[in-house]
């Protein structure tokens, strides 16, 4: 599936931020744009980004495989990344992790059977004073995530997904 016209427009906007002849500098933006549209980065998607930016496919793969925000296999509608570094761990991320795994009935790097949630371990997110910290979709930071807050967030995300489905 070729890059969509919308994705190309967004990538072109990112390319315009760099000097002429440096469109490869927009590789991270391009990967983010394609992943937001498709949900993950398939080998085909990586080749398409490489072709669009005039890069060797292996160079695009190196970027995509280095950063944890890029998904090289399918993930759930909502990606939940819980910080498990020492400061969060000392403030209860182990309790939060157990609760997430028991509630969702999945382990790390797994997706719920309904495709709704993927659970990942994360590195420091720079908000140790708000521990334990969890990201949803690599964009929204949720703080002090203990079981009651986790349950409320999961219910909110399920409601959001149901509303989107009704609109479609």
């Amino acid at each position: 599936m070729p890059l969509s016209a919308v994705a190309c427009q967004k990538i072109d906007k990112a390319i315009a931020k760099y000097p002429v002849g440096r469109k490869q500098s927009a590789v991270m933006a391009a990967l983010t744009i394609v992943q937001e549209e498709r949900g993950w980065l398939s080998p085909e998607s990586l080749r398409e980004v490489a072709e669009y930016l005039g890069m060797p496919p292996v160079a695009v793969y190196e970027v995509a495989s280095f950063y944890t925000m890029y998904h090289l296999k399918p993930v759930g509608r909502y990606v939940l990344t819980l910080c498990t570094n020492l400061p969060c761990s000392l403030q209860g991320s182990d309790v939060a992790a157990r609760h997430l795994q028991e509630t969702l009935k999945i382990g790390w790097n797994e997706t719920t059977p309904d495709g709704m949630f993927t659970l990942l371990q994360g590195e420091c997110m720079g908000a140790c004073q708000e521990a334990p910290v969890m990201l949803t979709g690599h964009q929204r930071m949720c703080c002090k995530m203990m079981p009651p807050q986790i349950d409320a967030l999961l219910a909110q995300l399920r409601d959001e997904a149901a509303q989107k489905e009704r609109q479609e």
Side-chain angles (χ1 to χ4, degrees):
M1 163 170 74
L3 296 176
S4 72
V6 171
C8 290
Q9 289 172 347
K10 289 179 180 179
I11 294 169
D12 288 343
K13 189 173 180 178
I15 290 169
K17 296 177 184 178
Y18 298 98
V20 174
R22 297 287 191 176
K23 65 182 179 180
Q24 295 175 352
S25 298
V27 65
M28 290 182 70
L31 290 170
T32 300
I33 290 162
V34 173
Q35 180 170 279
E36 285 175 355
E37 187 174 272
R38 298 180 180 178
W40 67 292
L41 297 168
S42 67
E44 178 184 328
S45 296
L46 297 176
R47 283 191 299 278
E48 291 166 0
V49 168
E51 184 178 314
Y52 197 81
L53 297 177
M55 298 175 68
V58 70
V60 173
Y61 173 77
E62 288 170 343
V63 173
S65 64
F66 179 79
Y67 293 101
T68 58
M69 63 194 169
Y70 299 121
H71 305 293
L72 300 178
K73 63 179 188 173
V75 293
R77 178 178 222 154
Y78 299 103
V79 177
L80 307 174
T81 307
L82 181 69
C83 178
T84 56
N85 274 3
L86 184 59
C88 279
S89 184
L90 291 172
Q91 295 297 319
S93 69
D94 55 333
V95 172
R98 256 191 322 276
H99 184 73
L100 279 162
Q101 291 172 338
E102 290 170 4
T103 300
L104 299 174
K105 296 178 179 34
I106 57 172
W108 297 118
N109 304 311
E110 293 181 354
T111 300
T112 55
D114 64 0
M116 186 70 68
F117 299 104
T118 296
L119 183 58
L120 304 176
Q121 284 182 279
E123 293 297 318
C124 183
M125 298 172 193
C128 301
Q129 72 281 5
E130 300 293 333
V133 177
M134 185 168 66
L135 293 179
T136 60
H138 303 293
Q139 296 170 347
R140 178 179 163 202
M141 183 178 289
C142 302
C143 302
K144 301 185 188 292
M145 295 305 289
M146 295 306 288
Q149 292 78 15
I150 290 168
D151 292 343
L153 175 66
L154 295 176
Q156 176 189 355
L157 295 174
R158 285 185 177 111
D159 288 346
E160 180 183 300
Q163 287 177 3
K164 285 182 182 178
E165 286 179 19
R166 283 193 295 269
Q167 292 173 354
E168 293 174 355

